Amino acid sequence: MLIWFVILYIIVSVAIGLYAATKVKNSQDYVVAGHHLPLPFIVATVFATWFGSETVLGIPAKFLNEGLKGVIADPFGSSMCLVLVGLFFARPLYRMNLLTIGDFYRARYNRAVELATSICIVISYLGWVSAQITALGLVFSVLTNGAIEPWQGMVIGTAIVLLYTLAGGMFSVAFTDLFQMCVILLGMIYIATVVSGVAGGAGVVIAHAANASKFEFWPALAPRDVIAFIAAWITMGFGSIPQQDVFQRVSAAKDEQTAGRGSVIGGCIYFCFAFIPMFLAYSATLIDPNLVAKHIDADSQYILPNLILTHTPFFAQVIFFGALLAAIMSCSSATLLAPSVTFAENVLKPFLPKLADWQFLRVLRFVVLLFALAVLSFALTSGSTIYGMVESAYKVTLVAAFTPLAFGLYWKRATTQGAACAVVLGLATWMVLEIGYPAGLLPPQFAGWLASIFGMVAGSLAPQWYGGGHHRLHTEAA
């Protein structure tokens, strides 16, 4: 019966996505929903895109092993990202009326910077989307008690998400996100109430976690620990700002005020609700210690779904897996669309200048299909955890794309030469340390970020040998 309810939920989600697809008339509708979405849709897309598999499965598993110290990147860094976008990036980017975040680098600098940063942005999504596909495989396997292998679940999940994402683009993402956000919020509150009762009350669970030192947050006052803490925070806090999925939510809003407010509100809601799965997973240590002992070392991502299956009533199981699928599917569709759009617009399109809009729309859908296949292949062969996939995804954009974006918006003297130096030095420093000194005092992505800032400042202030002057477009937010 549980499986049939899950199938029914999937059918409803796909139907909503296909209905939204009828609103797509051109490529702008497909990419940014025609710049027409009101505040509730923006809040829903921001929240639902980020409340994915890592929030329900990855973060709780990390929390069980390491406590709050292990989840600095997400939800703390990721929530900070959404708030920063709403306060400092949404409005100036919205005014530029761009189709993708990659378009900013072309308008502010040049084609070479656009190409380099866009490729980095696309690559960064491999880990994030693969995490969602991996989670879909896990869910289908748990629901069928192993009758469906995880790899088969990945294939099935990819096909489902691909169906409505191919058809409706951002319109489908927005409409399904609004529906799925309601399922997630109501479902998580209800499940927390049920599990809390089984565990003896929320106070008992929280007190037990506190006694187990799970709420220790701040690092020890030693250079290595402090730097690692900051690096974990900014990897997602800064590294996820120059991302197409964030930009699409900003650009899909009906006006710049809606874009800014939607991102801040969505980020705050995400931060609050991200702690519910942690509470649920930790409750397992009181309800079923044997379950925790069985999975904590092998694969702690299985603890929460198995807890729900074995210790909650049937209705609670339906609600939980409905909310879990809502989280994963909403995140999957958004993160599948975003890199595909970036690749089509900023990598392919300049080589196909004579495309009509309807032809470009076909190209967009074809790229979505190809990226889905690439992500599925990556997910099937990767041995990383869901949380690890997501956290690693933002390292490349932190070192290559964040500095040119932030300085391009807020520093008048930023030049094309400075941006090029930032990209080259950031990537080179990060890759050298990642390969040769991954456990050094400076985490590789942190060192790469510092190198990119140095490259931007030094390259912009030095005599201009590349890029033709200071800048091509005034975009300061002042």
Side-chain angles (χ1 to χ4, degrees), residues 408-421:
L409 284 173
Y410 284 98
W411 192 38
K412 293 182 178 180
R413 300 187 67 179
T415 67
T416 299
Q417 178 173 286
C421 290

Side-chain angles (χ1 to χ4, degrees), residues 257-310:
Q257 287 77 22
T258 300
R261 292 170 186 166
S263 186
V264 172
I265 295 171
C268 292
I269 296 175
Y270 172 77
F271 181 76
C272 295
F273 274 81
F275 287 93
I276 294 181
M278 285 188 254
F279 169 82
L280 296 175
Y282 193 81
S283 297
T285 61
L286 282 74
I287 298 171
D288 193 343
N290 292 330
L291 173 66
V292 176
K294 176 182 178 182
H295 291 289
I296 192 69
D297 294 324
D299 196 342
S300 51
Q301 296 167 152
Y302 281 86
I303 292 175
L304 180 52
N306 279 298
L307 172 71
I308 300 299
L309 279 176
T310 54

Side-chain angles (χ1 to χ4, degrees), residues 96-118 342 344-350 404 416 419 471-473 475:
M96 295 181 68
N97 194 31
L98 305 171
L99 192 64
T100 69
I101 188 67
D103 290 344
F104 169 84
Y105 297 99
R106 181 180 67 247
R108 184 63 173 84
Y109 303 113
N110 67 2
R111 166 64 180 156
V113 175
E114 172 201 17
L115 184 62
T117 52
S118 296
T342 300
E345 167 72 9
N346 302 111
V347 179
L348 282 183
K349 192 176 181 181
T416 299
H471 54 280
R472 303 172 58 217
L473 180 68
T475 59

Side-chain angles (χ1 to χ4, degrees), residues 197-251:
V198 177
V204 173
V205 178
I206 293 171
H208 192 279
N211 291 334
S213 302
K214 295 299 181 181
F215 294 149
E216 292 183 2
F217 179 73
W218 300 106
L221 294 179
R224 179 180 295 273
D225 292 328
V226 172
I227 293 173
F229 179 86
I230 297 172
W233 201 308
I234 68 170
T235 296
M236 287 191 71
F238 290 170
S240 50
I241 289 176
Q243 290 283 4
Q244 177 61 20
D245 64 283
V246 176
F247 176 82
Q248 275 181 284
R249 275 124 201 84
V250 169
S251 298

Side-chain angles (χ1 to χ4, degrees), residues 10 79 86 124 225 352 430 462:
I10 292 173
S79 302
S124 73
D225 292 328
L352 306 167
W430 170 59

Side-chain angles (χ1 to χ4, degrees), residues 9 51-58 132 135-136 138-140 142-143 180 183-184 187-188 191 277 301 304-305 308 317-331 386:
Y9 174 80
F51 200 97
S53 63
E54 75 284 358
T55 314
V56 184
L57 299 175
Q132 315 312 314
L136 284 171
L138 184 153
V139 170
F140 285 124
V142 170
L143 279 174
Q180 288 162 343
V183 174
I184 292 168
M188 284 296 158
I191 292 299
Q301 296 167 152
L304 180 52
I308 300 299
Q317 295 174 25
V318 172
I319 297 299
F320 173 79
F321 282 99
L324 177 56
L325 280 172
I328 298 173
M329 290 172 64
S330 61
C331 191
I386 291 172

